[in-house]
Amino acid sequence: MADYEVPELKEYAVVPLPEDDTMKGLKPFVAKPDFQEALGYPGKKDETKENTYLLVDGWHDKAIDKMGDLLNRYRGFRVFMDSCVKCGACTDKCHYFLGTKDAKNMPVARQDLLRSVYRRYFTFAGKFFPKLVGARDLTEDVVEEWYSYFHQCSECRRCSVFCPYGIDTAEVTMAAREILAHIGRGTKYSNEIIGKVFTIGNNLGLPEKALANVLEGLEEDVEYDIEVEVKFPLDKKGADILLVTPSADFFAEPHIDGLIGYAKVFHATNTSWTLSTMASEAANFGLFIGSYENMQRISMRIRQAAEDLGVKRIVYGECGHAWRVGYSFLNTLAGPFDFLDQNYPIPQHICEFTLDKLEKGELNIDKSRNDDMTLTFHDSCNVARASGMGDKPGGQFTIPRAVIKHVCNNYVDMEKDTIHDATFCCGGGGGLLTDDLMEIRVKGILPRATALKNVTEEYGVTHMAAICAICKSQFTKVLPYYGFTMDQIVSVHQLVSNAIILEGQVDPED
Amino acid sequence: MSTLYAFLLVAATVVMLVGLARKAKQYRKTPAPLKIPVTPAPKTTGGVVIRLAKEVVLFASLFRSNKWTWLFGWMFHVSLALVFLRHLRYVIDPEGMLGFLWPLVSLEVVQSFGKYAGITMVIGLLGLFGRRLFVARVRYISAPSDYLMLLLIMFIGFSGLTMSFISHIDIVQMKSFMLGILNFDLVDLPEGSTILIHLGLVALLGFILPVSKLLHIPGVFYAPTRNQVDNPREKRHIVEWAKKLDETRKDYPELRG
């Protein structure tokens, strides 16, 4: 099925010896000039060859200028370029290194691909003693190396947790991608998706009518199942809550079962809510490509929808990086939200909403309805290390688990060094969830698959819950390479949906 | 020779302090447009101070990451701090302007432990050097300057220990020399070549510091991943260049429905 070796699952994650270039040359498809331009980037077609794109004229100076611009606009990038002492603390922390053994997938080695050029053009030592400090000229080979290895990073920030200086490879990767985009090396995957958000409204390119059909279909399905009319309102003016959710929730498994879960919670608590066509996408791939401008442009759709529909609150569905943008950046990018109800967090996570209702006893729950499963929970990187929930640090760990434990009897955590802020990425985050990067996705899942296998064997875990659309998609597609089945991945609100009993509910007879 | 060394030491100190101050100013002036603390992060400024203190004093993240690197790294830095404090006795006149520091410098822990801290400092450096040589991952990421930096500080340590334990120099004369520099009244250096090596390397370190990875010294305080308060929903964070974008952010065609 693949022309590369799928790593073998061992009992414990083994730190490999670094090898040279095992993943050299793996890179995503380059974005066409049209898609580059739609996002404000240049592109250049090779007129002699089909589907080949060149670096734009003057790419060398443009890249250095862009690096200088980013150094002046982002303190993190500036400080991180200087402060690494090469202590090696991060070298065994990246799931892509653990899965591929490629030395350049060690976080510091990845940063050094860019830092070596920074030193050459922006520091005294690198200008005059390049060999001594590992500085190098920017060449076309270097650009191609960037394009490859900065798309083997999922911006998950696990390395930064362990760095004594808080150096965040995600910030370096974002800067590198932004520089690459400015010289004609944007990626097809992320850029086309962002383009679809601008022209159609969501990552999937699901137009208004199709979306309305999907939601209508869902209402019929749920009514058929439990004989309760659960509504999935779209563009309902004057609703209290605007639900912003990743568009995968409208069609993918197990995402859609999560969406049904949110709807049942709203139904059970008589909450007035609506989805929006304008904001039919919580995901924000502007984050992945490191573009403040694109991230802001995507975020503005949510503000606009909230204003147009006259809602009082914004709630986010289960999506990891969307929650990072929502929790950490939305107020900056699209705020201030003084027209919303200030008594609630802006925005609020669906898990915060549901836990509140569960704790107040407003939901009729029968936990035993999930007794056929033993659950564990995968902390998604952007939720775990780049956002929060509730009003205490670490709420992003306790709140989803509390929701699960309210609706399930059987729950166990995976090993300590693979959860909470030490969680391992699913392997498909940060703009890598595309078939052209399948090899890195398969190898990068290794540490998570190892931890999952261990709880499966030790505690009989049958299912892993997640609150991220990308994690769910990546797991359902890639965990089967390691002997798991697709349906072992569930949405947290799918569990809520299973356990909740709505008024008038009639269960189908088995 | 004494004049040359006096000049070198003064120049190195000036280069180091000015270089560090300029870098710190550059970091301070570079905006951090987004809230990017690595979470869970403190919700208050006080919490951030504690978080940073744990990093600077205890190397908390490094401890979590790798016990050997932590052990050698922490041993080196704490020893260096003690050695530094002990050395202040050469530049502080108990009767002079900095005399108020004398009680600190004359502490038992500084003067006796400080002497032996030179040894633990070198042991820490040797450990770090060994890791660089023998751990394949760390060897891969090491540039020549990474080894040389350790060697430089090690040789400063060796030369210092030589004077402390093997071939003593006239430290009273040494102090006169240092105070002479501070009082613009130059006095001769004590006899011996070890002190020349020691001071020469120290001056070199001063020159290198602001153009090297030793910038982790200011850098550790300026990392937004560690020094930001986690309150983005409660308080809007916005920097100057981003404010300009706010003026046009409603103009995108797709927002007009």
Side-chain angles (χ1 to χ4, degrees):
Chain A
M1 108 180 122
D3 56 355
Y4 47 86
E5 214 175 310
V6 176
E8 191 193 338
L9 280 191
K10 305 223 172 83
E11 203 169 323
Y12 291 101
V14 181
V15 178
L17 282 175
E19 291 176 20
D20 279 327
D21 302 330
T22 70
M23 296 302 285
K24 189 183 177 178
L26 180 83
K27 50 185 82 164
F29 296 140
V30 176
K32 286 183 183 151
D34 294 355
F35 282 101
Q36 281 280 87
E37 279 150 25
L39 274 58
Y41 301 124
K44 188 180 175 193
K45 214 168 144 29
D46 185 345
E47 299 299 341
T48 60
K49 271 184 261 168
E50 192 114 20
N51 292 327
T52 311
Y53 308 103
L54 303 171
L55 297 179
V56 300
D57 299 332
W59 61 269
H60 179 278
D61 293 355
K62 281 180 184 158
I64 299 299
D65 286 351
K66 192 65 208 168
M67 188 185 282
D69 173 50
L70 297 177
L71 286 167
N72 286 329
R73 283 199 294 149
Y74 291 88
R75 182 186 295 164
F77 182 43
R78 161 76 74 189
V79 173
F80 300 155
M81 282 294 103
D82 281 335
S83 58
C84 178
V85 301
K86 317 291 172 84
C87 72
C90 61
T91 51
D92 56 351
K93 302 299 186 283
C94 174
H95 53 291
Y96 291 123
F97 171 67
L98 297 176
T100 67
K101 308 177 184 166
D102 192 316
K104 292 186 181 120
N105 277 330
M106 295 189 292
V108 45
R110 195 188 310 285
Q111 297 161 20
D112 278 350
L113 300 176
L114 199 67
R115 187 178 285 117
S116 54
V117 173
Y118 162 76
R119 284 189 170 168
R120 184 79 180 101
Y121 295 86
F122 295 92
T123 71
F124 172 84
K127 277 177 193 161
F128 297 101
F129 310 99
K131 287 257 159 55
L132 192 66
V133 295
R136 60 178 181 167
D137 290 326
L138 179 60
T139 64
E140 211 151 331
D141 286 344
V142 171
V143 170
E144 293 310 321
E145 197 175 46
W146 284 359
Y147 193 68
S148 178
Y149 287 100
F150 285 115
H151 292 100
Q152 298 186 41
C153 167
S154 57
E155 303 172 347
C156 83
R157 314 183 96 198
R158 188 170 194 268
C159 48
S160 70
V161 169
F162 296 95
C163 175
Y165 308 107
I167 298 172
D168 183 3
T169 309
E171 292 294 307
V172 179
T173 293
M174 288 173 196
R177 291 183 185 176
E178 175 84 336
I179 294 168
L180 285 164
H182 276 90
I183 56 172
R185 278 285 176 278
T187 64
K188 177 174 188 276
Y189 175 65
S190 291
N191 288 13
E192 285 189 5
I193 278 179
I194 294 173
K196 271 186 254 176
V197 175
F198 292 155
T199 52
I200 302 165
N202 49 60
N203 285 8
L204 292 174
L206 204 62
E208 186 173 349
K209 211 166 158 216
L211 180 57
N213 282 339
V214 166
L215 296 176
E216 216 169 283
L218 273 179
E219 288 179 356
E220 285 165 15
D221 289 350
V222 175
E223 193 175 355
Y224 179 82
D225 266 358
I226 58 169
E227 297 184 24
V228 180
E229 268 187 61
V230 175
K231 292 289 174 203
F232 290 77
L234 181 63
D235 294 329
K236 195 173 92 184
K237 284 208 169 176
D240 283 346
I241 288 178
L242 167 64
L243 179 80
V244 188
T245 208
S247 56
D249 281 6
F250 301 128
F251 87 109
E253 285 286 351
H255 313 58
I256 200 161
D257 301 305
L259 175 62
I260 294 171
Y262 322 147
K264 284 187 181 175
V265 171
F266 289 138
H267 178 95
T269 54
N270 284 320
T271 305
S272 138
W273 69 291
T274 184
L275 290 154
S276 142
T277 41
M278 165 79 72
S280 53
E281 183 59 71
N284 192 327
F285 279 30
L287 173 73
F288 297 157
I289 64 170
S291 165
Y292 188 100
E293 292 80 0
N294 280 294
M295 197 155 64
Q296 181 169 50
R297 185 168 171 187
I298 297 168
S299 297
M300 281 304 291
R301 304 178 67 88
I302 295 168
R303 182 192 175 99
Q304 191 66 44
E307 280 181 3
D308 291 351
L309 296 170
V311 295
K312 299 193 184 82
R313 303 162 60 180
I314 297 173
V315 173
Y316 269 62
E318 298 179 3
C319 183
H321 82 279
W323 185 237
R324 177 177 193 187
V325 179
Y327 174 91
S328 294
F329 306 155
L330 194 71
N331 199 4
T332 299
L333 297 168
F337 289 96
D338 34 23
F339 60 94
L340 296 176
D341 187 339
Q342 304 297 314
N343 293 316
Y344 299 93
I346 306 166
Q348 191 174 29
H349 195 279
I350 187 72
C351 284
E352 296 178 307
F353 181 89
T354 300
L355 183 61
D356 177 54
K357 300 297 181 192
L358 284 165
E359 284 177 343
K360 286 181 180 154
E362 291 182 34
L363 300 174
N364 183 11
I365 296 293
D366 176 3
K367 284 175 144 185
S368 70
R369 295 162 74 102
N370 280 318
D371 276 355
D372 55 329
M373 293 185 260
T374 298
L375 271 305
T376 193
F377 178 69
H378 165 76
D379 289 285
S380 298
C381 48
N382 275 301
V383 177
R385 289 186 282 261
S387 65
M389 280 185 207
D391 51 14
K392 289 187 194 69
Q396 68 269 41
F397 312 134
T398 55
I399 289 175
R401 283 175 174 78
V403 171
I404 296 173
K405 288 175 186 168
H406 267 280
V407 298
C408 299
N409 282 313
N410 314 316
Y411 177 84
V412 281
D413 266 327
M414 286 179 278
E415 281 158 49
K416 222 176 86 202
D417 57 349
T418 70
I419 58 168
H420 293 188
D421 62 344
T423 187
F424 276 107
C425 166
C426 65
L432 309 190
L433 194 76
T434 171
D435 286 348
D436 31 327
L437 293 174
M438 207 56 199
E439 184 178 349
I440 194 78
R441 290 171 55 191
V442 169
K443 293 178 174 173
I445 207 172
L446 182 72
R448 173 48 77 226
T450 305
L452 178 59
K453 179 167 167 267
N454 287 345
V455 284
T456 304
E457 289 174 355
E458 212 164 317
Y459 302 103
V461 164
T462 58
H463 292 76
M464 178 164 67
I467 47 171
C468 167
I470 287 176
C471 294
K472 293 173 200 169
S473 300
Q474 158 79 354
F475 285 143
T476 51
K477 182 145 186 179
V478 180
L479 275 177
Y481 283 74
Y482 293 86
F484 298 95
T485 56
M486 288 178 69
D487 57 5
Q488 287 186 271
I489 312 308
V490 294
S491 298
V492 167
H493 275 76
Q494 171 179 0
L495 302 169
V496 178
S497 173
N498 291 343
I500 202 168
I501 302 173
L502 301 179
E503 211 176 295
Q505 176 162 337
V506 180
D507 289 310
E509 288 171 36
D510 298 50
Chain B
M1 192 56 86
S2 296
T3 321
L4 174 70
Y5 266 76
F7 174 75
L8 267 182
L9 288 177
V10 170
T13 308
V14 170
V15 167
M16 181 183 84
L17 292 179
V18 172
L20 280 183
R22 280 183 53 174
K23 262 294 170 185
K25 187 178 168 201
Q26 182 190 46
Y27 294 159
R28 202 169 44 247
K29 287 190 107 172
T30 308
L34 293 164
K35 280 278 190 174
I36 58 167
V38 172
T39 58
K43 301 261 182 196
T44 60
T45 311
V48 165
V49 171
I50 294 170
R51 183 183 203 179
L52 280 178
K54 275 161 82 178
E55 291 299 339
V56 174
V57 179
L58 301 174
F59 300 5
S61 294
L62 186 59
F63 183 77
R64 233 184 124 178
S65 174
N66 188 307
K67 300 291 183 283
W68 283 111
T69 314
W70 177 85
L71 178 71
F72 293 130
W74 195 74
M75 192 195 271
F76 158 59
H77 282 87
V78 170
S79 305
L80 178 63
L82 278 174
V83 168
F84 176 79
L85 286 177
R86 183 165 184 261
H87 276 70
L88 287 179
R89 65 181 179 166
Y90 297 115
V91 290
I92 292 175
D93 177 0
E95 312 289 311
M97 206 171 64
L98 295 171
F100 68 94
L101 284 171
W102 195 250
L104 173 72
V105 176
S106 54
L107 281 178
E108 181 69 16
V109 53
V110 171
Q111 289 309 322
S112 2
F113 282 91
K115 186 166 175 186
Y116 297 98
I119 297 171
T120 48
M121 180 177 105
V122 170
I123 294 173
L125 287 164
L126 284 170
L128 293 174
F129 198 82
R131 265 188 69 74
R132 233 173 247 299
L133 279 182
F134 300 119
V135 179
R137 298 190 314 276
V138 187
R139 188 168 62 235
Y140 180 90
I141 57 168
S142 299
S145 56
D146 297 314
Y147 295 98
L148 290 176
M149 201 72 81
L150 287 172
L151 287 174
L152 172 62
I153 306 175
M154 249 188 268
F155 278 102
I156 293 174
F158 287 143
S159 50
L161 287 173
T162 306
M163 291 181 285
S164 282
F165 292 100
I166 301 169
S167 96
H168 300 281
I169 60 157
D170 181 352
I171 58 170
V172 176
Q173 181 67 20
M174 184 63 220
K175 183 160 186 168
S176 311
F177 171 75
M178 294 306 290
L179 290 178
I181 294 177
L182 293 174
N183 297 327
F184 302 103
D185 181 13
L186 219 49
V187 178
D188 274 345
L189 267 168
E191 298 282 316
S193 53
T194 324
I195 186 65
L196 296 182
I197 297 173
H198 190 67
L199 291 180
L201 294 176
V202 168
L204 183 60
L205 181 66
F207 287 121
I208 290 176
L209 206 136
V211 294
S212 70
K213 67 174 184 178
L214 298 184
L215 286 174
H216 67 279
I217 299 164
V220 67
F221 295 100
Y222 285 99
T225 45
R226 295 276 192 267
N227 74 10
Q228 286 184 334
V229 179
D230 178 28
N231 61 354
R233 290 195 287 189
E234 291 80 11
K235 188 163 177 269
R236 185 167 189 237
H237 174 86
I238 187 95
V239 299
E240 280 310 313
W241 67 257
K243 274 186 195 161
K244 290 203 186 85
L245 294 175
D246 275 9
E247 287 162 20
T248 52
R249 66 181 181 175
K250 277 185 158 275
D251 301 341
Y252 293 115
E254 72 270 12
L255 296 178
R256 284 180 230 122

